[in-house]
Amino acid sequence: MNLDALTRTSGEWLRGTGPESDIVICSRIRLARNLADFPFTNRASDAEKTEIERVCRSAMDKAGLDLDYQSLVNLGPLDRQLLVERQLVSRELSNGDGPRGVAIGPRENMSVMINEEDHLRIQVMNSGFSLPDVWEQINDLDDRLEEQLHYAFNPQLGYLTACPTNVGTGIRVGVMLHLPALANTKQIEKVFRALHKINLAVRGLYGEGTQADGDFYQISNQQTLGKSERELIRNLSDVIPQIISYERQARQEWIGQRRQHLHDQVSRAYGVLKTAHTISSSETMHLLSSVRMGINLGLIDDLEIRTVNELFIHTQPAHLQKIQGESLEVDERNIARAGYIRRRLLEGRHDDETAD
Amino acid sequence: MTCQRCSREASVHLSETVDGSRRELHLCGPCARKAGLAPPDPPPNAALEAIVDHLIVQHVGELVGELARASCPLCGQTFMEFRTGGRLGCPNDYEAFAPGLLPLVRTAHGASRHVGKSPRRRTPPGKSPGLRLRARLREAIAREDYELAATLRDQLRQEDADR
């Protein structure tokens, strides 16, 4: 797989299309699976991890899956970070040691991590709010792998995982939401408390322990045992529309009460991004968040959501350095980031507008 | 104060009231044990591990003591390692540590029975031939018994080929 190519493309989940895509960035499901005949990854020797990798890769081939395998062993830190920023591998897999890798689907909507915390971490991501579609795809992928592999399974406890918090279905159902209005009006904490009470977890863009930069929040189930996959998906599917409706309401109240102020904030954010000559990753996320909301509220009409979604990812440190083709210090990155954003915003404008 | 039954220093001091009159008893450790008034002898070979083990059994109960000593025969992981690191060593740990693990699972999920999808092929983890052969292979390599290791490796390859 040519990782440099990732900087010229964008994943399916960044398309900015699909149901509720003004607020829902993407829907994601992952399944944790382990082979019955091996110790879990943390207890496996390097020889055993190599064997696990071989068995899993052979199963993917036999199942006729169109996945491109990338071993992480010989990748440098920048390339590994690129895969993390792209949401194709977890930080744990990137920072791990020993034989490990990831198989990636052609549109980047599928990835199978090998020798992460569990032997297999299967993931499917789609743009917009589309959990039933994602489940259909991942369930099919899991079935096809299961025909070739011998999963560790116990009738009482279900799929056995290295950490008991994943045992049972091994499923993590997650939806990534853009919630700038709820964040701005501080109503988000109330939402979090309510979600926590019904056993749902809230995390930042890059998972556990990360900040919600750019007002992105991942909401996912915590319980994996005692409910079926469909029930767990339904639980989340029932809750997400309420959050979407709170966010829309907060946006409308905001625009109703302080239209000029909001229009000013959005336009200034767009202006800074179009003209800045040095900009940090954190400021970029913050400003892009305002611009993204501005497009959805009709306050900016010469820019596509897809471009903004891509900028969120392409301005991350590893993407930026790969795009520039060199390793950069923080100050140099800030300058390169500003230049890249200026160019992309010029290209990303609608043709009729750029002609003006 | 000396022991009321021998001349050693008293270390157990008891008082009781019988028919309204108060009686005091001062005994040394061995005399108190003889009278059934003191805890049993400390464990022999009082290495730190044994002392800790003994304390756990004494203070937290036999079940926790057993768990503290529990280890998986197939991967070698101990229950205490799991409690420290939060990760299990192999699928068989769910059986090896069941008394300690199931309450944790129940607390984490509010349930203890799987109701989701199931794979068509199933082998109880403890019965997995691969897991057992790999455990024996690891032991053989640790003992530097390379002849047995080679045989076990061949058996594993055969198992794999049969599947």
Side-chain angles (χ1 to χ4, degrees):
Chain A
M1 156 168 256
N2 178 5
L3 290 184
D4 293 343
L6 289 184
T7 59
R8 293 189 293 277
T9 61
S10 65
E12 137 81 27
W13 63 277
L14 283 169
R15 270 192 305 133
T17 57
E20 322 287 4
S21 59
D22 54 332
I23 288 165
V24 181
I25 307 285
C26 66
S27 306
R28 166 162 64 172
I29 297 181
R30 77 111 165 96
L31 297 173
R33 298 286 186 254
N34 286 281
L35 306 181
D37 294 333
F38 289 87
F40 292 137
T41 309
N42 70 86
R43 198 89 194 169
S45 65
D46 273 4
E48 285 167 331
K49 285 192 216 172
T50 303
E51 188 66 4
I52 292 163
E53 198 180 24
R54 187 190 65 75
V55 169
C56 293
R57 289 190 65 179
S58 154
M60 289 188 273
D61 286 346
K62 284 185 194 154
L65 299 172
D66 183 17
L67 302 171
D68 200 350
Y69 193 74
Q70 180 67 57
S71 162
L72 262 69
V73 175
N74 299 319
L75 283 189
L78 200 59
D79 284 329
R80 296 204 309 267
Q81 181 60 25
L82 183 83
L83 292 171
V84 174
E85 289 174 3
R86 205 63 170 215
Q87 306 269 351
L88 291 168
V89 309
S90 62
R91 281 184 301 176
E92 186 164 347
L93 190 82
S94 170
N95 299 337
D97 51 35
R100 65 201 191 285
V102 60
I104 301 169
R107 289 183 298 132
E108 287 182 43
N109 64 333
M110 241 172 223
S111 76
V112 183
M113 286 183 263
I114 309 288
N115 285 332
E116 211 247 24
E117 179 181 299
D118 294 297
H119 296 151
L120 293 114
R121 285 275 173 107
I122 308 166
Q123 169 183 281
V124 171
M125 277 195 291
N126 273 7
S127 180
F129 186 37
S130 56
L131 287 172
D133 284 354
V134 176
W135 168 244
E136 211 169 289
Q137 288 175 63
I138 201 166
N139 192 29
D140 176 59
L141 180 56
D142 184 44
D143 285 348
R144 288 168 70 179
L145 285 171
E146 180 207 294
E147 279 173 22
Q148 308 298 330
L149 294 168
H150 189 191
Y151 285 157
F153 183 87
N154 162 327
Q156 190 199 332
L157 290 174
Y159 292 93
L160 303 178
T161 50
C163 183
T165 53
N166 295 313
V167 80
T169 53
I171 198 171
R172 188 79 63 214
V173 187
V175 174
M176 198 195 294
L177 301 159
H178 183 222
L179 304 173
L182 285 177
N184 184 279
T185 54
K186 313 277 181 228
Q187 295 175 65
I188 197 109
E189 281 134 37
K190 215 163 59 183
V191 174
F192 290 172
R193 276 198 297 275
L195 290 173
H196 190 70
K197 276 189 192 151
I198 52 170
N199 280 325
L200 296 178
V202 185
R203 301 190 173 93
L205 182 58
Y206 289 104
E208 214 162 343
T210 62
Q211 281 192 327
D213 266 340
D215 304 318
F216 288 124
Y217 298 89
Q218 285 187 60
I219 294 169
S220 58
N221 66 304
Q222 285 183 299
Q223 186 185 358
T224 56
L225 183 71
K227 283 199 167 76
S228 71
E229 292 84 355
R230 284 177 199 281
E231 278 177 276
L232 291 166
I233 291 167
R234 202 179 312 126
N235 282 355
L236 206 67
S237 299
D238 288 346
V239 168
I240 297 296
Q242 293 178 45
I243 301 173
I244 294 173
S245 129
Y246 289 145
E247 170 65 20
R248 288 216 177 102
Q249 210 178 318
R251 288 181 186 190
Q252 287 313 319
E253 279 169 18
W254 200 0
I255 204 167
Q257 289 161 8
R258 308 187 71 189
R259 187 182 180 89
Q260 285 312 320
H261 183 266
L262 182 60
H263 202 158
D264 182 68
Q265 181 187 319
V266 166
S267 306
R268 278 171 189 268
Y270 193 22
V272 170
L273 289 168
K274 278 194 286 193
T275 54
H277 281 256
T278 172
I279 193 164
S280 70
S281 177
S282 172
E283 187 182 5
T284 303
M285 297 287 271
H286 178 70
L287 298 176
L288 282 172
S289 174
S290 281
V291 168
R292 193 180 191 281
M293 179 177 62
I295 298 173
N296 285 323
L297 289 174
L299 302 173
I300 294 177
D301 57 9
D302 64 348
L303 191 61
E304 287 182 11
I305 282 284
R306 184 194 180 116
T307 307
V308 180
N309 282 1
E310 280 182 14
L311 277 173
F312 274 113
I313 302 302
H314 287 181
T315 54
Q316 300 282 330
H319 270 79
L320 196 67
Q321 291 174 82
K322 292 292 282 184
I323 288 165
Q324 297 295 118
E326 57 184 334
S327 165
L328 301 169
E329 295 298 319
V330 175
D331 283 351
E332 296 171 315
R333 281 208 297 271
N334 291 346
I335 293 168
R337 183 177 294 110
Y340 177 73
I341 294 169
R342 289 199 311 274
R343 283 195 304 280
R344 285 298 307 269
L345 288 180
L346 205 65
E347 289 164 12
R349 293 168 69 183
H350 296 316
D351 287 339
D352 52 346
E353 297 291 336
T354 34
D356 285 348
Chain B
M1 187 176 284
T2 53
C3 173
Q4 289 169 343
R5 297 200 181 161
C6 70
S7 54
R8 280 181 290 225
E9 185 69 17
S11 59
V12 176
H13 309 278
L14 298 166
S15 65
E16 59 179 356
T17 307
V18 181
D19 297 333
S21 67
R22 186 178 153 87
R23 194 167 73 111
E24 286 199 348
L25 203 56
H26 305 284
L27 298 170
C28 67
C31 289
R33 270 192 291 282
K34 256 186 239 162
L37 297 169
D41 279 320
N45 305 324
L48 186 62
E49 205 174 66
I51 293 173
V52 170
D53 217 335
H54 181 72
L55 287 173
I56 290 172
V57 173
Q58 239 187 352
H59 291 102
V60 194
E62 193 59 35
L63 176 68
V64 176
E66 271 172 32
L67 277 169
R69 286 191 297 272
S71 70
C72 171
L74 298 189
C75 71
Q77 168 120 338
T78 67
F79 185 72
M80 293 314 270
E81 282 172 327
F82 159 65
R83 288 308 305 256
T84 312
R87 300 287 180 275
L88 293 160
C90 80
N92 188 59
D93 287 3
Y94 280 93
E95 294 205 356
F97 305 145
L101 199 51
L102 291 180
L104 291 177
V105 166
R106 219 171 289 131
T107 308
H109 299 283
S112 52
R113 185 156 283 280
H114 175 60
V115 291
K117 75 181 279 192
S118 306
R120 280 179 217 105
R121 279 191 294 172
R122 294 186 214 168
T123 309
K127 306 276 187 302
S128 154
L131 209 50
R132 284 186 177 280
L133 283 171
R134 276 195 180 81
R136 289 180 60 201
L137 177 63
R138 268 197 305 277
E139 278 168 23
I141 291 170
R143 279 200 316 270
E144 299 185 4
D145 185 348
Y146 297 117
E147 209 174 315
L148 176 63
T151 312
L152 292 166
R153 187 156 290 158
D154 290 345
Q155 283 184 39
L156 270 167
R157 286 193 182 140
Q158 191 55 48
E159 278 283 330
D160 192 32
D162 291 347
R163 273 201 298 276

